[in-house]
Every structure is written in C-alpha cells, then in structure tokens.
Amino acid sequence: QVQLVESGGGMVQPGGSLRLSCAASGFTFRTYGMHWVRQAPGKGLEWVAVISYDGSHKYYADSVTGRFTISRDNSKNTLYLQMSSLRAEDTAVYFCAKDPAGLALAGYFDYWGQGTLVSVSS
Amino acid sequence: DIQMTQSPSSLSASVGDRVTITCRASRTFSNYLNWFQQKPGKAPKLLIYAASSLQSGVPSRFSGSGSGTDFTLTISRLQPEDFATYYCQQSYSSPWTFGQGTKVEIQ
C-alpha cells in the first residue's frame, strides 16, 4: 500500500534553514508528481509546492517562492523540501502528498504522509 | 488566485443526520473540485474528486455535486466516525487552494 513518511522537522530560528524529506513506497514513485502542503497550528491547509514526475517542472506558492526549493531523487524514492530564510509564519505541520495523475499533474492529493512539524522561533 | 469559501464554518449534528456543506469558488470552473476529511492530529483524507467521484474505499454515504462556482458535499446519514473537519480544494489552476474548513461536531 502507498506509504509516505516525512522527516526532518524541528525547531529553527528565524532566518534559518531546514530540509524536509519524504520517503515513498508502495507505488511507482518516478511516475507521479508530488506535493508539499502545510498546516499552521489550528489553521487550514495551504498548498506549498509541486514537482513533476521527472523533476522538470516545479511550482510554488507565492508565500514561499525564492525561499523554498522542492526536489526529488527517483533512485531513492524520496521527495525533499529545502527551506531557507525561515519566518515565524512558516511554522506548520508539513505534509507530503501524492498527485493521482501519472506523468501529468492533476493538482490534488490522493495519499498523504503523517506530517512533520516545523517550528520557527527565537 | 482562486478563493474558496465554505459554509458553514462549523455545524453541530447528531448521528443519523443528513449533513450538507457548501463550497463556493471565486471563479468558475467545471468540476475541478475535491473534498477532504481531516481528524485531529491526522493527515487529510481524500473523499471526493472531480466534484462527484467517490475515492476508492470511501463509504457511499458521502457524495459530492456541483459545477461552475457552487459545490456541495453531502453525508447522507452521519456516523460517529464522521465527526471531523472537511475541506474543499480546487484543482483547476495553480496555486491550488483550499476552503477554510467546516468542522462537524457532535450535537
């Protein structure tokens, strides 16, 4: 069955950096787009970034453009989110999520990881 | 960006009730609308995609309808495990956006 397991969250000071990872299994990772979605404490869901199946296309929310970089290693079945210049408002649980459309992007999320908490505070 | 507005923000209901949640988009699109259920401390779960298609494994008491700007999620007979927060999400254009959520609580 599909499994997505995030790691790399933690506490970081404003202006700092962090790299999240998402280990995927149970499906052919290299043929699906992958997303990051976040949820601030007690708040709703916010889409953050997406990467196409082969890494050739990447899109970001305006709130993270220029600070976050999404990437993937298809040989390791792993998705990444490199976060820099972190701000207090980036504090959230970060979920990785699978796009259901193979080789294209459907723009929604059929499987989710359990999430990893990022706290930005001095 | 497409804004998604859900109503109500919360509701109280009893087991066995019929529950309807509405989602309105700031721009029209056909059926690029999805619904998710989230329980406290858990990841969201896809219930409905393309406005009315039931995701595999989701009970048939969940249904979706609508097109254009107005969409609806209906739970025909509320079960104890359905008390949760529900989100709509548009997949018509990036940035893909969510509604603010509707919390379904026990009356």
Side-chain angles (χ1 to χ4, degrees), chain A residues 45-68:
Chain A
L45 299 164
E46 179 188 18
W47 171 79
V48 173
V50 65
I51 186 168
S52 60
Y53 71 101
D54 61 354
S56 62
H57 294 89
K58 305 175 185 180
Y59 304 100
Y60 299 91
D62 287 348
S63 57
V64 306
T65 296
R67 301 186 300 121
F68 290 12

Side-chain angles (χ1 to χ4, degrees), chain A residues 39 47 106-109 112-113, chain B residues 34 36 38 43-44 49 89 91 96:
Chain A
Q39 186 170 37
W47 171 79
Y108 65 99
F109 326 101
W112 299 63
Chain B
N34 315 291
F36 297 87
Q38 187 180 32
Y49 63 95
Q89 178 250 335
S91 51
W96 297 293

